[in-house]
Amino acid sequence: VHLEEEKISMFLKLLETEPALLTDIILDALNVEMLGRISSVCSSLQGYLDTDSSIWGRLLVERWGVKADSCPRNLMKWLETVVSSAMAESFRHGFELMVEARVIPAMVDDSGAASWEVPARRMLEWLPMAQRRRLTAFITSDRHPKACVRRFMHSFDLHDTLTPELALRRLLLQFPFLPIDAGSGADRVIKAFAMVWSVQNPEEICNLGLGDATAKEVCDAIYSVTYSMIMLNTDQHNPLVWPKMTVAEYITSCHGCGPLKKIPSQLLAEIHENICTSPLQICPKSHTVDSCIRSTDAGESVHGASYSAYSQHRPSTAKVLNARPPLKLDWSVAYW
């Protein structure tokens, strides 16, 4: 939230009078950095923060998904400095520091639950996009047990999304999952997505022509149509792919896939139209996706993106001889 300069003085006066009454306003209006900056020039707020730890306790839960037995402000400072610095190189290392400090339990327990699930879910809500992509690459890494990804995907609310396409669009804005980042872990993410959508939207299954299908058949169909949308998005918005797939070709291609034989042609036509006019994106505003990220034991490595596994072209070498139509790159489009 950006505070207008003319309102800051009035805001500070209110803090000088009854700061305790403004706790909710403070939490809603200020991030941790801004809170520290304003408290440094507002003695009343500074004193309140020093004596009342509840505001720091709430911030801990909202930003990191953890609680402090005592001194939540000190824990917040440690997380925002030491742990954040470690995560700038390796999210795995950052979470290991939290385990060592007993802020979270062991990385993965006997049930397959990962201790980083709750902190990671919170951090996806406030990290900048570049860091969110790195965190997502860590989460989707195939180094984690399959159960971790399935459990994590169930934390997203996909209720009331009439089609898998709408659900995928909603998910991408919260969880910037890119197959180029997930690598071999992409398959398990899409499987988990299919399972979550079918569980959270049972009333929509009939509209997909799957009313008499088994649970496995439904998941297989959602899994397959999701892959088809990703491929269609690449086909329609990658300038190196030409000619583009027509709606008739898309429907024929989908109906040639066993799990998708019963999907209504009208629904597939709508998916084709929607993706042609509005590509799948990980950010509602223009955001450059000109890199791919790999999560390893050593950390998340960032590499320049190329058009495909078979092309050495880079964003800086967009002009390809004899390309038709002329290449106009929009790196905000997901799934190239």
Short mmCIF file of all heavy atoms in Angstrom, two decimals, residues 143-185:
data_model
loop_
_atom_site.label_atom_id
_atom_site.label_comp_id
_atom_site.label_asym_id
_atom_site.label_seq_id
_atom_site.Cartn_x
_atom_site.Cartn_y
_atom_site.Cartn_z
N ARG A 143 12.67 -33.82 -6.30
CA ARG A 143 13.42 -34.33 -5.14
C ARG A 143 12.50 -34.56 -3.94
O ARG A 143 12.85 -35.29 -3.02
CB ARG A 143 14.53 -33.36 -4.76
CG ARG A 143 15.66 -33.28 -5.79
CD ARG A 143 16.74 -32.29 -5.41
NE ARG A 143 16.25 -30.92 -5.53
CZ ARG A 143 16.01 -30.11 -4.51
NH1 ARG A 143 16.16 -30.54 -3.28
NH2 ARG A 143 15.60 -28.88 -4.71
N HIS A 144 11.34 -33.90 -3.93
CA HIS A 144 10.39 -34.08 -2.84
C HIS A 144 9.51 -35.30 -3.09
O HIS A 144 9.22 -35.63 -4.25
CB HIS A 144 9.51 -32.83 -2.70
CG HIS A 144 10.27 -31.57 -2.47
ND1 HIS A 144 11.22 -31.43 -1.48
CD2 HIS A 144 10.24 -30.38 -3.13
CE1 HIS A 144 11.72 -30.20 -1.53
NE2 HIS A 144 11.15 -29.56 -2.52
N PRO A 145 9.04 -35.94 -2.04
CA PRO A 145 8.08 -37.04 -2.22
C PRO A 145 6.83 -36.53 -2.94
O PRO A 145 6.43 -35.37 -2.79
CB PRO A 145 7.77 -37.47 -0.78
CG PRO A 145 8.95 -37.03 0.02
CD PRO A 145 9.42 -35.77 -0.62
N LYS A 146 6.20 -37.40 -3.72
CA LYS A 146 5.00 -37.01 -4.46
C LYS A 146 3.91 -36.49 -3.52
O LYS A 146 3.14 -35.59 -3.89
CB LYS A 146 4.47 -38.19 -5.27
CG LYS A 146 5.38 -38.62 -6.41
CD LYS A 146 4.77 -39.77 -7.18
CE LYS A 146 5.68 -40.19 -8.33
NZ LYS A 146 5.11 -41.33 -9.09
N ALA A 147 3.84 -37.06 -2.32
CA ALA A 147 2.80 -36.65 -1.37
C ALA A 147 2.93 -35.18 -1.00
O ALA A 147 1.92 -34.52 -0.72
CB ALA A 147 2.87 -37.51 -0.11
N CYS A 148 4.15 -34.64 -1.03
CA CYS A 148 4.35 -33.23 -0.66
C CYS A 148 3.64 -32.31 -1.65
O CYS A 148 2.97 -31.36 -1.26
CB CYS A 148 5.84 -32.90 -0.62
SG CYS A 148 6.76 -33.69 0.71
N VAL A 149 3.80 -32.59 -2.95
CA VAL A 149 3.18 -31.76 -3.97
C VAL A 149 1.66 -31.88 -3.90
O VAL A 149 0.94 -30.89 -4.00
CB VAL A 149 3.68 -32.14 -5.37
CG1 VAL A 149 2.94 -31.36 -6.45
CG2 VAL A 149 5.18 -31.87 -5.48
N ARG A 150 1.16 -33.12 -3.71
CA ARG A 150 -0.29 -33.31 -3.63
C ARG A 150 -0.88 -32.55 -2.45
O ARG A 150 -1.91 -31.87 -2.58
CB ARG A 150 -0.62 -34.80 -3.50
CG ARG A 150 -0.39 -35.60 -4.77
CD ARG A 150 -1.11 -36.93 -4.71
NE ARG A 150 -0.62 -37.75 -3.61
CZ ARG A 150 0.33 -38.67 -3.74
NH1 ARG A 150 0.90 -38.86 -4.92
NH2 ARG A 150 0.72 -39.39 -2.71
N ARG A 151 -0.23 -32.63 -1.30
CA ARG A 151 -0.72 -31.91 -0.11
C ARG A 151 -0.68 -30.40 -0.35
O ARG A 151 -1.61 -29.68 0.02
CB ARG A 151 0.12 -32.28 1.11
CG ARG A 151 -0.13 -33.66 1.69
CD ARG A 151 0.90 -33.98 2.75
NE ARG A 151 0.91 -32.94 3.76
CZ ARG A 151 0.18 -32.96 4.88
NH1 ARG A 151 -0.63 -33.96 5.11
NH2 ARG A 151 0.27 -31.98 5.75
N PHE A 152 0.40 -29.92 -0.95
CA PHE A 152 0.54 -28.49 -1.17
C PHE A 152 -0.52 -27.97 -2.12
O PHE A 152 -1.09 -26.90 -1.91
CB PHE A 152 1.93 -28.17 -1.71
CG PHE A 152 2.26 -26.70 -1.68
CD1 PHE A 152 2.70 -26.10 -0.52
CD2 PHE A 152 2.12 -25.91 -2.82
CE1 PHE A 152 2.99 -24.73 -0.49
CE2 PHE A 152 2.40 -24.56 -2.80
CZ PHE A 152 2.84 -23.97 -1.61
N MET A 153 -0.81 -28.71 -3.17
CA MET A 153 -1.81 -28.28 -4.14
C MET A 153 -3.19 -28.18 -3.52
O MET A 153 -4.01 -27.34 -3.92
CB MET A 153 -1.84 -29.23 -5.32
CG MET A 153 -0.59 -29.18 -6.20
SD MET A 153 -0.36 -27.57 -6.98
CE MET A 153 -1.74 -27.56 -8.10
N HIS A 154 -3.47 -28.99 -2.52
CA HIS A 154 -4.77 -28.94 -1.86
C HIS A 154 -4.95 -27.67 -1.04
O HIS A 154 -6.05 -27.39 -0.57
CB HIS A 154 -4.97 -30.17 -0.98
CG HIS A 154 -5.49 -31.37 -1.73
ND1 HIS A 154 -6.81 -31.52 -2.09
CD2 HIS A 154 -4.84 -32.46 -2.21
CE1 HIS A 154 -6.97 -32.65 -2.75
NE2 HIS A 154 -5.79 -33.24 -2.84
N SER A 155 -3.89 -26.90 -0.84
CA SER A 155 -4.00 -25.65 -0.09
C SER A 155 -4.59 -24.53 -0.93
O SER A 155 -4.94 -23.46 -0.40
CB SER A 155 -2.63 -25.22 0.45
OG SER A 155 -1.77 -24.80 -0.60
N PHE A 156 -4.74 -24.74 -2.24
CA PHE A 156 -5.28 -23.71 -3.13
C PHE A 156 -6.79 -23.92 -3.30
O PHE A 156 -7.26 -25.05 -3.45
CB PHE A 156 -4.59 -23.74 -4.48
CG PHE A 156 -3.14 -23.36 -4.42
CD1 PHE A 156 -2.16 -24.33 -4.39
CD2 PHE A 156 -2.76 -22.03 -4.37
CE1 PHE A 156 -0.83 -24.00 -4.32
CE2 PHE A 156 -1.43 -21.67 -4.30
CZ PHE A 156 -0.45 -22.66 -4.27
N ASP A 157 -7.50 -22.82 -3.29
CA ASP A 157 -8.95 -22.85 -3.44
C ASP A 157 -9.33 -22.75 -4.91
O ASP A 157 -9.21 -21.69 -5.52
CB ASP A 157 -9.58 -21.71 -2.64
CG ASP A 157 -11.11 -21.71 -2.74
OD1 ASP A 157 -11.67 -22.71 -3.23
OD2 ASP A 157 -11.73 -20.72 -2.34
N LEU A 158 -9.76 -23.86 -5.47
CA LEU A 158 -10.19 -23.89 -6.87
C LEU A 158 -11.70 -24.12 -6.98
O LEU A 158 -12.20 -24.46 -8.05
CB LEU A 158 -9.44 -24.99 -7.63
CG LEU A 158 -7.91 -24.88 -7.64
CD1 LEU A 158 -7.31 -26.03 -8.44
CD2 LEU A 158 -7.44 -23.54 -8.20
N HIS A 159 -12.40 -23.94 -5.88
CA HIS A 159 -13.85 -24.10 -5.90
C HIS A 159 -14.49 -23.09 -6.86
O HIS A 159 -13.97 -21.98 -7.06
CB HIS A 159 -14.44 -23.90 -4.50
CG HIS A 159 -14.13 -25.01 -3.54
ND1 HIS A 159 -13.02 -24.97 -2.72
CD2 HIS A 159 -14.76 -26.19 -3.28
CE1 HIS A 159 -12.99 -26.07 -1.99
NE2 HIS A 159 -14.03 -26.82 -2.30
N ASP A 160 -15.63 -23.50 -7.41
CA ASP A 160 -16.43 -22.61 -8.25
C ASP A 160 -15.71 -22.15 -9.51
O ASP A 160 -16.00 -21.08 -10.05
CB ASP A 160 -16.92 -21.39 -7.45
CG ASP A 160 -17.73 -21.79 -6.23
OD1 ASP A 160 -18.52 -22.75 -6.35
OD2 ASP A 160 -17.58 -21.15 -5.18
N THR A 161 -14.73 -22.93 -9.96
CA THR A 161 -14.14 -22.68 -11.27
C THR A 161 -14.82 -23.65 -12.23
O THR A 161 -14.66 -24.87 -12.11
CB THR A 161 -12.62 -22.92 -11.25
OG1 THR A 161 -12.34 -24.19 -10.63
CG2 THR A 161 -11.93 -21.82 -10.46
N LEU A 162 -15.59 -23.12 -13.16
CA LEU A 162 -16.48 -23.95 -13.97
C LEU A 162 -15.75 -24.93 -14.87
O LEU A 162 -16.29 -25.99 -15.20
CB LEU A 162 -17.38 -23.04 -14.83
CG LEU A 162 -18.27 -22.06 -14.06
CD1 LEU A 162 -19.11 -21.24 -15.03
CD2 LEU A 162 -19.16 -22.80 -13.07
N THR A 163 -14.53 -24.58 -15.26
CA THR A 163 -13.76 -25.45 -16.15
C THR A 163 -12.32 -25.54 -15.66
O THR A 163 -11.85 -24.66 -14.92
CB THR A 163 -13.76 -24.92 -17.58
OG1 THR A 163 -13.03 -23.66 -17.62
CG2 THR A 163 -15.17 -24.70 -18.11
N PRO A 164 -11.59 -26.57 -16.07
CA PRO A 164 -10.17 -26.65 -15.73
C PRO A 164 -9.38 -25.44 -16.23
O PRO A 164 -8.39 -25.06 -15.61
CB PRO A 164 -9.72 -27.95 -16.41
CG PRO A 164 -10.95 -28.79 -16.47
CD PRO A 164 -12.06 -27.81 -16.74
N GLU A 165 -9.81 -24.86 -17.34
CA GLU A 165 -9.11 -23.67 -17.85
C GLU A 165 -9.18 -22.53 -16.85
O GLU A 165 -8.16 -21.88 -16.54
CB GLU A 165 -9.72 -23.23 -19.18
CG GLU A 165 -9.05 -21.99 -19.76
CD GLU A 165 -10.01 -21.09 -20.50
OE1 GLU A 165 -11.07 -21.58 -20.93
OE2 GLU A 165 -9.71 -19.88 -20.63
N LEU A 166 -10.37 -22.24 -16.34
CA LEU A 166 -10.52 -21.16 -15.36
C LEU A 166 -9.75 -21.48 -14.09
O LEU A 166 -9.16 -20.58 -13.47
CB LEU A 166 -12.00 -20.95 -15.04
CG LEU A 166 -12.88 -20.47 -16.20
CD1 LEU A 166 -14.34 -20.38 -15.76
CD2 LEU A 166 -12.40 -19.10 -16.70
N ALA A 167 -9.74 -22.75 -13.69
CA ALA A 167 -9.00 -23.14 -12.50
C ALA A 167 -7.50 -22.95 -12.69
O ALA A 167 -6.80 -22.46 -11.80
CB ALA A 167 -9.30 -24.60 -12.15
N LEU A 168 -6.99 -23.31 -13.88
CA LEU A 168 -5.57 -23.14 -14.15
C LEU A 168 -5.18 -21.68 -14.14
O LEU A 168 -4.12 -21.30 -13.61
CB LEU A 168 -5.22 -23.78 -15.50
CG LEU A 168 -3.76 -23.72 -15.92
CD1 LEU A 168 -2.87 -24.43 -14.91
CD2 LEU A 168 -3.58 -24.33 -17.31
N ARG A 169 -6.02 -20.82 -14.71
CA ARG A 169 -5.73 -19.39 -14.71
C ARG A 169 -5.68 -18.85 -13.28
O ARG A 169 -4.82 -18.03 -12.94
CB ARG A 169 -6.77 -18.63 -15.53
CG ARG A 169 -6.69 -18.90 -17.03
CD ARG A 169 -7.72 -18.07 -17.79
NE ARG A 169 -7.73 -18.39 -19.21
CZ ARG A 169 -6.90 -17.85 -20.10
NH1 ARG A 169 -5.99 -16.97 -19.72
NH2 ARG A 169 -6.99 -18.20 -21.39
N ARG A 170 -6.62 -19.29 -12.44
CA ARG A 170 -6.61 -18.84 -11.04
C ARG A 170 -5.37 -19.33 -10.32
O ARG A 170 -4.72 -18.58 -9.57
CB ARG A 170 -7.86 -19.33 -10.31
CG ARG A 170 -7.88 -18.92 -8.84
CD ARG A 170 -9.00 -19.57 -8.06
NE ARG A 170 -10.32 -19.12 -8.49
CZ ARG A 170 -11.46 -19.50 -7.91
NH1 ARG A 170 -11.43 -20.37 -6.89
NH2 ARG A 170 -12.61 -19.04 -8.35
N LEU A 171 -5.03 -20.58 -10.54
CA LEU A 171 -3.87 -21.16 -9.86
C LEU A 171 -2.58 -20.44 -10.25
O LEU A 171 -1.74 -20.15 -9.39
CB LEU A 171 -3.75 -22.64 -10.21
CG LEU A 171 -2.53 -23.37 -9.63
CD1 LEU A 171 -2.62 -23.45 -8.11
CD2 LEU A 171 -2.39 -24.76 -10.24
N LEU A 172 -2.41 -20.13 -11.53
CA LEU A 172 -1.17 -19.51 -11.99
C LEU A 172 -0.91 -18.16 -11.33
O LEU A 172 0.24 -17.77 -11.12
CB LEU A 172 -1.20 -19.33 -13.51
CG LEU A 172 -1.02 -20.61 -14.34
CD1 LEU A 172 -1.24 -20.31 -15.81
CD2 LEU A 172 0.35 -21.20 -14.11
N LEU A 173 -1.97 -17.42 -11.01
CA LEU A 173 -1.80 -16.12 -10.37
C LEU A 173 -1.35 -16.27 -8.92
O LEU A 173 -0.76 -15.34 -8.35
CB LEU A 173 -3.10 -15.32 -10.43
CG LEU A 173 -3.58 -14.96 -11.84
CD1 LEU A 173 -4.88 -14.17 -11.76
CD2 LEU A 173 -2.52 -14.17 -12.60
N GLN A 174 -1.61 -17.42 -8.31
CA GLN A 174 -1.20 -17.66 -6.93
C GLN A 174 0.08 -18.49 -6.86
O GLN A 174 0.85 -18.36 -5.91
CB GLN A 174 -2.30 -18.40 -6.17
CG GLN A 174 -3.65 -17.69 -6.17
CD GLN A 174 -4.71 -18.54 -5.51
OE1 GLN A 174 -4.65 -18.85 -4.32
NE2 GLN A 174 -5.72 -18.93 -6.28
N PHE A 175 0.26 -19.35 -7.85
CA PHE A 175 1.35 -20.33 -7.85
C PHE A 175 1.97 -20.32 -9.24
O PHE A 175 1.50 -21.03 -10.13
CB PHE A 175 0.77 -21.70 -7.51
CG PHE A 175 1.78 -22.80 -7.31
CD1 PHE A 175 2.78 -22.69 -6.37
CD2 PHE A 175 1.70 -23.97 -8.05
CE1 PHE A 175 3.70 -23.70 -6.17
CE2 PHE A 175 2.60 -24.99 -7.87
CZ PHE A 175 3.60 -24.87 -6.92
N PRO A 176 2.99 -19.48 -9.47
CA PRO A 176 3.53 -19.30 -10.84
C PRO A 176 4.30 -20.52 -11.32
O PRO A 176 5.51 -20.50 -11.49
CB PRO A 176 4.43 -18.07 -10.68
CG PRO A 176 4.87 -18.11 -9.25
CD PRO A 176 3.69 -18.64 -8.50
N PHE A 177 3.56 -21.59 -11.56
CA PHE A 177 4.14 -22.85 -11.99
C PHE A 177 4.41 -22.84 -13.49
O PHE A 177 3.51 -22.63 -14.29
CB PHE A 177 3.18 -23.99 -11.62
CG PHE A 177 3.35 -25.23 -12.45
CD1 PHE A 177 4.51 -25.98 -12.34
CD2 PHE A 177 2.37 -25.62 -13.34
CE1 PHE A 177 4.68 -27.12 -13.11
CE2 PHE A 177 2.53 -26.76 -14.11
CZ PHE A 177 3.69 -27.51 -13.99
N LEU A 178 5.66 -23.05 -13.86
CA LEU A 178 6.05 -23.12 -15.26
C LEU A 178 6.76 -24.46 -15.49
O LEU A 178 7.71 -24.78 -14.78
CB LEU A 178 7.00 -21.99 -15.64
CG LEU A 178 6.48 -20.55 -15.49
CD1 LEU A 178 7.56 -19.56 -15.88
CD2 LEU A 178 5.24 -20.33 -16.33
N PRO A 179 6.31 -25.24 -16.47
CA PRO A 179 7.01 -26.50 -16.75
C PRO A 179 8.50 -26.33 -17.01
O PRO A 179 9.28 -27.21 -16.66
CB PRO A 179 6.27 -27.02 -17.99
CG PRO A 179 4.90 -26.47 -17.86
CD PRO A 179 5.10 -25.09 -17.28
N ILE A 180 8.89 -25.20 -17.60
CA ILE A 180 10.32 -24.99 -17.85
C ILE A 180 11.10 -24.89 -16.55
O ILE A 180 12.29 -25.17 -16.50
CB ILE A 180 10.59 -23.74 -18.71
CG1 ILE A 180 10.05 -22.48 -18.03
CG2 ILE A 180 10.01 -23.89 -20.09
CD1 ILE A 180 10.44 -21.20 -18.75
N ASP A 181 10.44 -24.48 -15.46
CA ASP A 181 11.09 -24.41 -14.15
C ASP A 181 10.99 -25.73 -13.40
O ASP A 181 11.91 -26.13 -12.68
CB ASP A 181 10.45 -23.32 -13.29
CG ASP A 181 10.64 -21.91 -13.87
OD1 ASP A 181 11.54 -21.75 -14.72
OD2 ASP A 181 9.90 -21.00 -13.47
N ALA A 182 9.85 -26.40 -13.53
CA ALA A 182 9.61 -27.63 -12.76
C ALA A 182 10.36 -28.82 -13.33
O ALA A 182 10.63 -29.78 -12.61
CB ALA A 182 8.11 -27.94 -12.72
N GLY A 183 10.69 -28.78 -14.62
CA GLY A 183 11.39 -29.91 -15.22
C GLY A 183 10.54 -31.17 -15.16
O GLY A 183 9.35 -31.16 -15.47
N SER A 184 11.15 -32.26 -14.71
CA SER A 184 10.42 -33.53 -14.64
C SER A 184 9.36 -33.52 -13.56
O SER A 184 8.51 -34.41 -13.51
CB SER A 184 11.41 -34.68 -14.40
OG SER A 184 12.15 -34.48 -13.20
N GLY A 185 9.39 -32.51 -12.68
CA GLY A 185 8.36 -32.41 -11.64
C GLY A 185 7.05 -31.85 -12.17
O GLY A 185 6.04 -31.86 -11.46
#
